[in-house]
Amino acid sequence: MRPETLPDVSEVASFDASKLKHVNTKENTVLPTKEVIAEEAIDSRAEVKSFDKSSLKHVETEEKKNLPTAQDLTGERMPPPSRRPDRSEVLQFDQNKLNHVPTTEKVVLPSKQDIEDEAVDSRAEVKTFDKSQLKHVETKEDNILPGAGDIRAELMPDVLPDRSEVTKFDQSKLKHVEPTEKVILPTQDDIKEEAIESRAEVKSFDHSKLKHVETSEKVTLPGAGDIRAEMMPDQLPDRSEVAEFDHSKLKHVETQQKTVLPTKSVIEEEKAESRAEVKSFDKSKLKHVETEEKDSVPTLQTLREELLPDELPSKSAELKEIKGFDPAKKLKHVETTDKTHLPTKEEIKEEAAETRAEVKTFDHGKLKHVEPEEKNTLPKQSDIQEEKAAS
């Protein structure tokens, strides 16, 4: 991996390290400290200990991939009947013709006594072994990792560019250039002067030059009568059968309340339990968190700067246009139309009379008696005093 010709590193040796700038290393991923890990371990163990196993459901494990049985494996290994060999001779073979042969065991395993004797002998050999007979051997590392110098030499190109012109360059030939700021924001004094001048122009404006304009309402909202007429169908249904209907044929039905609200005693028991949990809560387990405001509301100064244009127009041109403006030639008379039509006093009276007539003719005998039930009961003064005394 080394190049044939090594580069010239004499400039690196003579480099002035004082020209380098100090850079602060920013740690992106902050690892938790030992104390934070210990606190989390304690919290997790407490959660595991306080976990209610009775809330778990029993689940039957279903084995999707069933392992094949010995019979299945035998069936898979067996060839098809057409390819099986003929075993008729094997079945008809006479086993009495076979001679008895004694089995000789070639590999004899050692007995328990032999293993114990060998263990004693091996330990005796290890104890009496002379370490001075061993030779010193230096460990040779076959795969040597490259050092910083090797990596730098590999990263250097084979042919370095010619830097003689850079070292001989005369910096005195360079010209000093002042940077120009293209977008100049107005200062606070400029903004105050403009605000004073704009208020002065508004105060000195002649309102007599303005013409009266009548507002014309293009979209008129429908009144109560129009809405009632639109909601009525084109053809009214026949209600003669309803008027002649016999109410005595109807059956009495008892209303069944599906959603049962908790009683007052149940609510009080739940309140007592919840207050007990709040009182027994250990506040030392809570961690301190600093609130960080991500979306900060802009200040008045920031809004004023955003509303200002990039380039402010010249005031002299605006004053010339305002002074030379002729309202008689350029402004037109416009009639205003009322878009939102409010009902008149007579219509309101008619509607009020109709609603009062409906209320007066309403049959109160059709209403059913309902006992009001208090859903959310407030704690009594005695309960509040007991809680204060307990806390």
Side-chain angles (χ1 to χ4, degrees), residues 31-90:
L31 295 175
T33 60
K34 190 175 181 181
E35 290 76 10
V36 176
I37 295 171
E39 290 178 3
E40 291 180 356
I42 293 169
D43 296 340
S44 61
R45 285 197 295 272
E47 291 178 1
V48 172
K49 289 180 181 178
S50 61
F51 182 73
D52 186 11
K53 297 180 182 178
S54 61
S55 60
L56 297 176
K57 295 182 180 179
H58 180 68
V59 178
E60 295 290 339
T61 307
E62 181 182 356
E63 188 176 359
K64 294 184 178 179
K65 293 184 179 180
N66 298 323
L67 295 176
T69 60
Q71 188 176 1
D72 298 335
L73 294 174
T74 307
E76 290 178 359
R77 291 175 182 174
M78 290 291 288
S82 59
R83 296 183 181 179
R84 291 177 186 175
D86 188 9
R87 300 182 182 178
S88 59
E89 296 180 0
V90 177

Coordinates of all heavy atoms in Angstrom, one line a residue, residues 31-90:
L31 N -25.0 10.4 26.8 CA -25.3 9.2 27.5 C -25.8 9.4 28.9 O -25.3 10.4 29.5 CB -24.1 8.3 27.5 CG -23.6 7.8 26.1 CD1 -22.3 7.0 26.3 CD2 -24.6 7.0 25.4
P32 N -26.7 8.6 29.4 CA -27.1 8.8 30.8 C -26.0 8.5 31.8 O -25.2 7.7 31.6 CB -28.3 7.8 30.9 CG -28.0 6.8 29.9 CD -27.3 7.5 28.8
T33 N -26.1 9.3 32.9 CA -25.1 9.0 33.9 C -25.4 7.8 34.8 O -26.5 7.2 34.6 CB -25.0 10.3 34.9 OG1 -26.3 10.4 35.5 CG2 -24.6 11.5 34.1
K34 N -24.5 7.5 35.7 CA -24.7 6.3 36.5 C -25.8 6.4 37.4 O -26.6 5.5 37.7 CB -23.4 6.0 37.3 CG -23.3 4.7 38.0 CD -22.0 4.5 38.7 CE -21.9 3.1 39.4 NZ -20.6 2.9 40.1
E35 N -26.0 7.7 37.9 CA -27.2 7.9 38.9 C -28.5 7.8 38.1 O -29.5 7.2 38.7 CB -27.0 9.4 39.5 CG -25.9 9.5 40.5 CD -24.5 9.6 39.8 OE1 -24.6 9.8 38.5 OE2 -23.5 9.6 40.5
V36 N -28.6 8.3 36.9 CA -29.8 8.2 36.1 C -30.2 6.8 35.9 O -31.3 6.3 36.0 CB -29.7 9.0 34.8 CG1 -31.0 8.9 34.0 CG2 -29.5 10.5 35.1
I37 N -29.2 6.0 35.5 CA -29.4 4.5 35.2 C -29.9 3.8 36.5 O -30.8 3.0 36.4 CB -28.1 3.9 34.7 CG1 -27.8 4.5 33.3 CG2 -28.3 2.4 34.5 CD1 -26.4 4.1 32.8
A38 N -29.2 4.2 37.6 CA -29.7 3.5 38.9 C -31.1 3.9 39.3 O -31.9 3.1 39.7 CB -28.7 3.9 40.0
E39 N -31.5 5.2 39.1 CA -32.9 5.6 39.3 C -33.9 4.9 38.4 O -34.9 4.4 38.9 CB -33.0 7.1 39.2 CG -32.3 7.9 40.3 CD -32.4 9.4 40.0 OE1 -33.1 9.8 39.0 OE2 -31.8 10.2 40.8
E40 N -33.5 4.8 37.1 CA -34.4 4.1 36.2 C -34.6 2.6 36.6 O -35.6 2.0 36.5 CB -33.9 4.3 34.8 CG -34.1 5.7 34.3 CD -33.6 5.8 32.8 OE1 -33.1 4.8 32.3 OE2 -33.7 6.9 32.3
A41 N -33.4 2.0 37.0 CA -33.5 0.6 37.4 C -34.4 0.4 38.6 O -35.2 -0.6 38.7 CB -32.1 0.1 37.7
I42 N -34.3 1.3 39.6 CA -35.2 1.2 40.8 C -36.6 1.4 40.4 O -37.5 0.6 40.9 CB -34.7 2.3 41.8 CG1 -33.3 2.0 42.4 CG2 -35.7 2.4 43.0 CD1 -32.7 3.1 43.2
D43 N -36.9 2.4 39.5 CA -38.3 2.6 39.1 C -38.8 1.4 38.4 O -40.0 1.0 38.6 CB -38.4 3.8 38.2 CG -38.0 5.1 39.0 OD1 -38.1 5.1 40.2 OD2 -37.7 6.1 38.3
S44 N -38.0 0.8 37.5 CA -38.5 -0.3 36.7 C -38.7 -1.5 37.6 O -39.7 -2.3 37.4 CB -37.5 -0.7 35.6 OG -36.2 -1.0 36.2
R45 N -37.8 -1.7 38.6 CA -38.1 -2.9 39.5 C -39.3 -2.6 40.4 O -40.1 -3.6 40.7 CB -36.9 -3.0 40.5 CG -35.7 -3.7 39.8 CD -34.7 -4.2 40.8 NE -34.1 -3.1 41.6 CZ -33.0 -2.4 41.2 NH1 -32.4 -2.7 40.1 NH2 -32.5 -1.5 42.0
A46 N -39.6 -1.4 40.8 CA -40.8 -1.1 41.5 C -42.0 -1.4 40.7 O -43.0 -1.9 41.2 CB -40.8 0.4 42.0
E47 N -42.0 -1.0 39.4 CA -43.1 -1.3 38.6 C -43.4 -2.8 38.4 O -44.5 -3.2 38.3 CB -42.9 -0.6 37.2 CG -43.0 0.9 37.2 CD -42.7 1.5 35.9 OE1 -42.5 0.8 34.9 OE2 -42.6 2.8 35.8
V48 N -42.3 -3.5 38.3 CA -42.4 -5.0 38.1 C -43.0 -5.6 39.3 O -43.8 -6.5 39.3 CB -41.0 -5.6 37.7 CG1 -41.1 -7.1 37.7 CG2 -40.6 -5.1 36.4
K49 N -42.5 -5.1 40.5 CA -43.0 -5.7 41.8 C -44.5 -5.4 42.0 O -45.2 -6.2 42.5 CB -42.2 -5.2 43.0 CG -40.8 -5.8 43.0 CD -40.0 -5.2 44.2 CE -38.6 -5.8 44.2 NZ -37.8 -5.2 45.3
S50 N -44.9 -4.2 41.7 CA -46.3 -3.7 41.9 C -47.2 -4.1 40.8 O -48.4 -3.8 40.8 CB -46.3 -2.2 42.0 OG -45.9 -1.6 40.9
F51 N -46.7 -4.9 39.8 CA -47.6 -5.3 38.6 C -48.6 -6.3 39.1 O -48.2 -7.3 39.8 CB -46.7 -5.8 37.5 CG -47.5 -6.2 36.3 CD1 -48.1 -5.2 35.5 CD2 -47.7 -7.5 36.0 CE1 -48.8 -5.6 34.4 CE2 -48.5 -7.9 34.9 CZ -49.0 -6.9 34.1
D52 N -49.8 -6.2 38.7 CA -50.9 -7.1 39.1 C -51.0 -8.2 38.0 O -51.4 -8.0 36.9 CB -52.2 -6.4 39.2 CG -53.3 -7.3 39.7 OD1 -52.9 -8.4 40.2 OD2 -54.5 -6.9 39.7
K53 N -50.5 -9.5 38.4 CA -50.5 -10.6 37.5 C -52.0 -11.1 37.2 O -52.2 -11.7 36.2 CB -49.7 -11.7 38.0 CG -48.3 -11.4 38.2 CD -47.5 -12.6 38.8 CE -46.0 -12.3 39.0 NZ -45.3 -13.4 39.6
S54 N -52.9 -10.7 38.1 CA -54.3 -11.2 37.8 C -54.9 -10.5 36.6 O -55.9 -11.0 36.1 CB -55.1 -10.9 39.1 OG -55.1 -9.5 39.4
S55 N -54.4 -9.4 36.2 CA -54.9 -8.7 35.0 C -54.5 -9.3 33.7 O -55.1 -9.0 32.7 CB -54.5 -7.2 35.0 OG -53.1 -7.1 35.0
L56 N -53.6 -10.2 33.8 CA -53.2 -10.9 32.5 C -54.2 -12.0 32.1 O -54.9 -12.6 33.0 CB -51.8 -11.6 32.8 CG -50.6 -10.7 33.1 CD1 -49.4 -11.5 33.3 CD2 -50.4 -9.8 31.9
K57 N -54.3 -12.2 30.9 CA -55.3 -13.1 30.3 C -54.5 -14.4 30.0 O -53.4 -14.4 29.5 CB -56.0 -12.6 29.1 CG -56.9 -11.4 29.4 CD -57.5 -10.9 28.1 CE -58.4 -9.7 28.4 NZ -59.1 -9.3 27.1
H58 N -55.2 -15.6 30.2 CA -54.7 -16.8 29.8 C -54.7 -17.0 28.3 O -55.8 -16.9 27.7 CB -55.4 -18.0 30.5 CG -54.9 -19.3 30.2 ND1 -53.6 -19.7 30.7 CD2 -55.4 -20.4 29.5 CE1 -53.4 -20.9 30.2 NE2 -54.4 -21.4 29.6
V59 N -53.6 -17.4 27.7 CA -53.6 -17.6 26.2 C -53.0 -19.0 26.0 O -52.0 -19.4 26.5 CB -52.6 -16.5 25.6 CG1 -52.5 -16.8 24.1 CG2 -53.1 -15.1 25.9
E60 N -53.7 -19.7 25.1 CA -53.3 -21.0 24.7 C -52.3 -20.9 23.6 O -52.6 -20.2 22.6 CB -54.5 -21.9 24.3 CG -55.5 -22.2 25.4 CD -54.9 -23.1 26.4 OE1 -53.9 -23.8 26.1 OE2 -55.4 -23.2 27.6
T61 N -51.2 -21.5 23.7 CA -50.1 -21.4 22.6 C -50.5 -22.4 21.5 O -50.8 -23.6 21.7 CB -48.8 -21.8 23.2 OG1 -48.5 -21.0 24.3 CG2 -47.7 -21.6 22.1
E62 N -50.6 -21.8 20.3 CA -50.9 -22.6 19.1 C -49.6 -22.8 18.3 O -49.0 -21.8 17.9 CB -52.0 -22.0 18.3 CG -52.4 -22.8 17.1 CD -53.4 -22.1 16.3 OE1 -53.9 -21.0 16.7 OE2 -53.8 -22.6 15.2
E63 N -49.2 -24.1 18.1 CA -48.0 -24.3 17.3 C -48.4 -24.4 15.9 O -49.1 -25.3 15.4 CB -47.4 -25.7 17.8 CG -46.0 -25.9 17.2 CD -45.4 -27.2 17.8 OE1 -46.0 -27.8 18.7 OE2 -44.3 -27.5 17.4
K64 N -47.9 -23.4 15.1 CA -48.2 -23.4 13.7 C -47.4 -24.4 12.9 O -48.0 -25.0 12.0 CB -48.0 -22.0 13.2 CG -49.0 -20.9 13.8 CD -48.8 -19.6 13.2 CE -49.8 -18.6 13.8 NZ -49.6 -17.2 13.2
K65 N -46.1 -24.5 13.1 CA -45.3 -25.4 12.4 C -45.1 -26.7 13.2 O -44.2 -26.7 14.1 CB -43.9 -24.7 12.0 CG -44.0 -23.6 11.1 CD -42.7 -23.0 10.7 CE -42.8 -21.9 9.7 NZ -41.5 -21.3 9.4
N66 N -45.9 -27.7 12.9 CA -45.8 -28.9 13.6 C -44.6 -29.7 13.1 O -44.4 -29.9 11.9 CB -47.0 -29.7 13.5 CG -48.2 -29.0 14.1 OD1 -48.1 -28.4 15.1 ND2 -49.4 -29.1 13.5
L67 N -43.8 -30.3 14.0 CA -42.6 -31.1 13.6 C -43.2 -32.5 13.1 O -44.1 -33.0 13.7 CB -41.7 -31.3 14.8 CG -41.0 -30.0 15.2 CD1 -40.1 -30.3 16.5 CD2 -40.1 -29.4 14.1
P68 N -42.5 -33.0 12.1 CA -43.0 -34.3 11.6 C -42.7 -35.4 12.6 O -41.6 -35.4 13.3 CB -42.2 -34.5 10.3 CG -41.0 -33.7 10.5 CD -41.4 -32.5 11.3
T69 N -43.5 -36.4 12.7 CA -43.3 -37.6 13.6 C -42.4 -38.6 12.9 O -42.0 -38.4 11.7 CB -44.6 -38.2 13.9 OG1 -45.2 -38.7 12.6 CG2 -45.6 -37.3 14.5
A70 N -42.0 -39.6 13.7 CA -41.1 -40.6 13.1 C -41.7 -41.4 12.0 O -41.1 -41.8 11.0 CB -40.7 -41.6 14.2
Q71 N -43.1 -41.6 12.1 CA -43.8 -42.2 11.0 C -43.8 -41.4 9.7 O -43.7 -41.9 8.6 CB -45.2 -42.5 11.5 CG -46.0 -43.4 10.5 CD -47.4 -43.8 11.1 OE1 -47.7 -43.3 12.1 NE2 -48.1 -44.6 10.3
D72 N -44.0 -40.0 9.9 CA -43.9 -39.2 8.7 C -42.5 -39.2 8.0 O -42.4 -39.3 6.8 CB -44.3 -37.7 9.1 CG -45.7 -37.7 9.6 OD1 -46.5 -38.5 9.3 OD2 -46.0 -36.7 10.4
L73 N -41.5 -39.2 8.8 CA -40.1 -39.2 8.3 C -39.9 -40.6 7.5 O -39.3 -40.6 6.5 CB -39.1 -39.0 9.4 CG -39.1 -37.6 10.0 CD1 -38.1 -37.6 11.2 CD2 -38.7 -36.5 9.0
T74 N -40.3 -41.6 8.1 CA -40.2 -42.9 7.5 C -40.9 -43.0 6.2 O -40.4 -43.6 5.2 CB -40.7 -44.1 8.5 OG1 -40.0 -43.9 9.7 CG2 -40.4 -45.4 7.9
G75 N -42.1 -42.4 6.2 CA -42.9 -42.4 4.9 C -42.3 -41.6 3.8 O -42.3 -41.9 2.7
E76 N -41.6 -40.5 4.2 CA -41.0 -39.6 3.2 C -39.7 -40.3 2.7 O -39.3 -40.1 1.5 CB -40.6 -38.3 3.9 CG -41.8 -37.4 4.2 CD -41.4 -36.1 4.8 OE1 -40.2 -35.9 5.0 OE2 -42.3 -35.3 5.1
R77 N -39.0 -41.1 3.6 CA -37.8 -41.7 3.1 C -38.0 -42.9 2.2 O -37.2 -43.3 1.4 CB -36.9 -42.1 4.3 CG -36.3 -41.0 5.1 CD -35.6 -41.4 6.3 NE -35.1 -40.3 7.1 CZ -34.5 -40.4 8.3 NH1 -34.4 -41.7 8.9 NH2 -34.1 -39.4 8.9
M78 N -39.2 -43.6 2.5 CA -39.5 -44.8 1.7 C -39.7 -44.4 0.2 O -40.5 -43.5 -0.1 CB -40.7 -45.5 2.3 CG -40.5 -46.1 3.7 SD -39.4 -47.5 3.6 CE -40.5 -48.7 2.8
P79 N -39.1 -45.2 -0.7 CA -39.4 -44.9 -2.1 C -40.8 -45.4 -2.5 O -41.5 -46.1 -1.7 CB -38.4 -45.8 -2.8 CG -38.0 -46.9 -1.9 CD -38.2 -46.3 -0.5
P80 N -41.3 -45.0 -3.6 CA -42.7 -45.4 -4.0 C -42.7 -46.9 -4.2 O -41.7 -47.6 -4.4 CB -42.9 -44.7 -5.3 CG -41.6 -44.3 -5.8 CD -40.7 -44.1 -4.6
P81 N -43.9 -47.6 -4.1 CA -44.0 -49.0 -4.3 C -43.4 -49.6 -5.6 O -42.9 -50.7 -5.6 CB -45.5 -49.3 -4.2 CG -46.0 -48.1 -3.4 CD -45.2 -47.0 -3.8
S82 N -43.5 -48.8 -6.7 CA -42.9 -49.3 -7.9 C -41.4 -49.4 -7.9 O -40.9 -50.2 -8.7 CB -43.4 -48.3 -9.1 OG -42.9 -47.0 -8.8
R83 N -40.8 -48.6 -7.1 CA -39.3 -48.6 -7.0 C -38.7 -49.4 -5.9 O -37.5 -49.4 -5.7 CB -38.8 -47.2 -7.0 CG -39.1 -46.3 -8.2 CD -38.5 -45.0 -8.1 NE -38.8 -44.1 -9.2 CZ -38.4 -42.9 -9.4 NH1 -37.6 -42.3 -8.4 NH2 -38.7 -42.2 -10.4
R84 N -39.5 -50.0 -5.1 CA -39.0 -50.8 -3.9 C -38.4 -52.1 -4.4 O -38.9 -52.7 -5.3 CB -40.1 -51.0 -2.9 CG -40.6 -49.8 -2.2 CD -41.7 -50.0 -1.3 NE -42.3 -48.8 -0.7 CZ -43.3 -48.7 0.1 NH1 -44.0 -49.9 0.4 NH2 -43.8 -47.6 0.6
P85 N -37.3 -52.6 -3.7 CA -36.7 -53.8 -4.1 C -37.6 -55.0 -3.7 O -38.5 -54.9 -2.8 CB -35.4 -53.9 -3.4 CG -35.6 -53.0 -2.2 CD -36.6 -51.9 -2.7
D86 N -37.3 -56.2 -4.3 CA -38.1 -57.4 -4.0 C -37.5 -58.0 -2.8 O -36.4 -58.4 -2.7 CB -37.9 -58.4 -5.2 CG -38.9 -59.6 -5.0 OD1 -39.7 -59.5 -4.1 OD2 -38.7 -60.5 -5.8
R87 N -38.4 -58.1 -1.7 CA -38.0 -58.7 -0.4 C -38.6 -60.1 -0.2 O -38.6 -60.5 1.0 CB -38.4 -57.7 0.7 CG -37.8 -56.3 0.6 CD -38.3 -55.5 1.8 NE -37.8 -54.1 1.7 CZ -38.1 -53.2 2.6 NH1 -38.9 -53.5 3.6 NH2 -37.6 -52.0 2.4
S88 N -39.0 -60.7 -1.2 CA -39.6 -62.1 -1.0 C -38.6 -63.1 -0.5 O -38.9 -63.9 0.4 CB -40.3 -62.5 -2.3 OG -39.3 -62.6 -3.3
E89 N -37.3 -63.0 -1.0 CA -36.3 -63.9 -0.6 C -35.9 -63.7 0.9 O -35.6 -64.6 1.6 CB -35.1 -63.8 -1.5 CG -35.3 -64.2 -2.9 CD -34.1 -64.0 -3.8 OE1 -33.1 -63.6 -3.2 OE2 -34.2 -64.3 -5.0
V90 N -35.9 -62.4 1.3 CA -35.5 -62.1 2.7 C -36.6 -62.7 3.7 O -36.3 -63.2 4.8 CB -35.4 -60.6 2.9 CG1 -35.1 -60.2 4.4 CG2 -34.3 -60.0 2.0

